[in-house]
Amino acid sequence: MRLTDWFGSFSLLAQALVLYLLIVNALTFLLFGLDKLKSATPGASRIRERTLWLGMAFGGSAGALFAMHVFRHKTQKTSFQAVMIVILLLQIALLFFLLRLSSTPRPSSF
C-alpha cells in the first residue's frame, strides 16, 4: 500500500489535522533551532520563551521536544521546563478526554 493510498483513506478532517500538526511541529522545531543559533551571537535578538511555549501549546510539542534534544537547547532552564511540562500534561489530558468522548456510546434515535 502506497502512502498516498493510506493517507487518502482518512477523513478530510483527519487529513487536515495531520497536515496541521506536521506544519506546526516543523515550525516549532525551526523556532527552537533559530533561538539556539541566535543565543550564540552576542547582542542578537532572541525568540521569546512565550513564543516557544505558544508553538508547543498549538500542537508543536513533539517538534519542541525533538529540537531540545537535537540542539541541546533549553534543557537546563528549570522555569522553561516547568511550563513545558504543564503544556504537555494539558495536551495529554485533552487527548484522553477526546478519545473517551469519541468512544462513548450514543443513544440510538427512534
Side-chain angles (χ1 to χ4, degrees), residues 46-67:
R46 301 277 305 273
I47 296 172
R48 293 181 176 188
E49 287 184 350
R50 185 179 347 171
T51 303
L52 299 175
W53 289 326
L54 280 173
M56 292 180 66
F58 284 116
S61 295
L65 291 171
F66 187 56

Side-chain angles (χ1 to χ4, degrees), residues 1-11 14-15 18-19 22:
M1 176 180 272
R2 294 186 350 226
L3 181 62
T4 54
D5 294 336
W6 173 78
F7 189 69
S9 68
F10 291 125
S11 70
Q15 290 177 12
V18 167
L19 289 174
L22 286 172

Side-chain angles (χ1 to χ4, degrees), residues 20-30 55 58-65:
Y20 168 80
L21 289 173
L22 286 172
I23 291 168
V24 78
N25 276 286
L27 289 174
T28 304
F29 180 86
L30 291 173
F58 284 116
S61 295
L65 291 171

